[in-house]
Amino acid sequence: MRMKFAGRELDLSRSHVMGIVNVTPDSFSDGGQYNTTELAVQRARQMVADGATFVDVGGESTRPGAAPVSEQEELDRVSPVVEAIARQLDVVVSVDTSSAAVMREGASLGAGLINDVRALQREGAVEAAVETGLPVCLMHMKGAPGTMQERPEYRHVVRDVAAFLMDRVRVCESAGVPADQILLDPGFGFGKSAEHNFQLLAALEQMRMLGYPLLVGMSRKTMLGQVTGREVSERLPASVAAATISALKGVSVIRVHDVRETVDAVRVVEAMQSAAY
Ligand code: 7PM
C-alpha cells in the first residue's frame, strides 16, 4: 500500500500526520505577503520537526459565512508558501484547493498532493488534477460551506457518504486519475450533525473497505466541542482522542493543527500494533 507524492513514496498502511498551514489573511494578522510566507514556512518547519509527513497549505477559508476568495487571491496566497516549503523542507506539501489553476500552479511549485474538499467537482478540476499526475484526496461535503450546517439530513449517512465518494472515484478514474493515486475522506463537519460525524467515525473500518486509503480531519472541530462542551482553544485532548481512534481504525493520513501531540498518539498505537501477538 505505497503511494508516490512528487518523488516521495510513502507506506500508507501506516498512519501519517498532516499539519495544517492556513494562509488565509485572518490566520496571520499582519497584512504583508512576505511576513505571511515567512510565518507559514516557520510553522511548517516546526511541524516537520514534530514528525509531520505532510503539511496542508490552504488559502481559501471553508468557514461557514467566509467571503469567497478569487482565484488570483488564492494563487497569490498559496503559491509562495508551497514553493518555499517544498524547496526548504523534507515534507509532502498538500495543496488544499478546489481551483484548477491553483492545482496546476501548486504542482509546478513542488506540491505532492491535491486536497480538494469539493472532490474535484469544480469546472476543470478533474482535468487539472490528471495533468499534474499527483495523488488526490476526494472529500465528501453535503451542501456548500456557507449553509452546509443548517439541518443536514441523510437516508443513511455512512452509505450516502460512501456512495458519493465512489461516484467521484468513478468520474476521476474515467478521466485518467490512476486508482492507486486516490485517497478518500468522509469530510467530518462538512454538512453533518454530531451524530452523523460519530457514526462516520465508528464506520471508518467499513469506509476503508472501499479499497482506498483514508485521510481524516477532526482537529478542534465542532463535533468535539459538542461532546466535551469545550471551546475551540480547549479541544486538544479531544482532538488527540479522535486521532488515536483514527489510527486504530487504519486511517492513513490524519490532518491536525497539533502535530507533536498527535504524532505521540500515533506512535503509541503503532507500538501496540507491532507488539500484538
Ligand atoms: C472553518 C471550517 C475553518 C472548516 C476550517 C475548517 C478538512 C479539510 C478542512 C477535512 C480534508 C478545518 C476545516 N477540513 N480537508 N479541510 N479533510 N481533506 O477545521 O476534514 O480544518 S478545513
Side-chain angles (χ1 to χ4, degrees), residues 18 20 22 56 60-64 96 115-117 137-139 148 184-190 215-222 255 257:
M18 169 184 275
I20 301 169
N22 279 319
D56 190 37
E60 185 221 11
S61 181
T62 42
R63 186 175 299 113
D96 187 351
N115 172 31
D116 184 6
V117 299
C137 176
L138 305 175
M139 197 195 81
M148 64 190 176
L184 300 181
D185 182 341
F188 289 103
F190 286 86
L215 184 156
V216 302
M218 287 177 275
S219 185
R220 302 181 187 174
K221 283 187 179 176
T222 301
R255 181 182 178 276
H257 301 87

Side-chain angles (χ1 to χ4, degrees), residues 140-143 147-158 160-161 186-202 217-218 221-227:
H140 173 271
M141 167 164 32
K142 187 177 178 70
T147 54
M148 64 190 176
Q149 288 307 101
E150 296 169 11
R151 299 184 57 78
E153 283 184 49
Y154 294 86
R155 276 182 38 250
H156 182 303
V157 68
V158 176
D160 291 0
V161 167
F188 289 103
F190 286 86
K192 284 127 189 148
S193 67
E195 190 181 5
H196 295 143
N197 286 312
F198 283 97
Q199 285 172 343
L200 287 164
L201 179 58
M218 287 177 275
K221 283 187 179 176
T222 301
M223 62 183 282
L224 304 177
Q226 286 166 318
V227 294

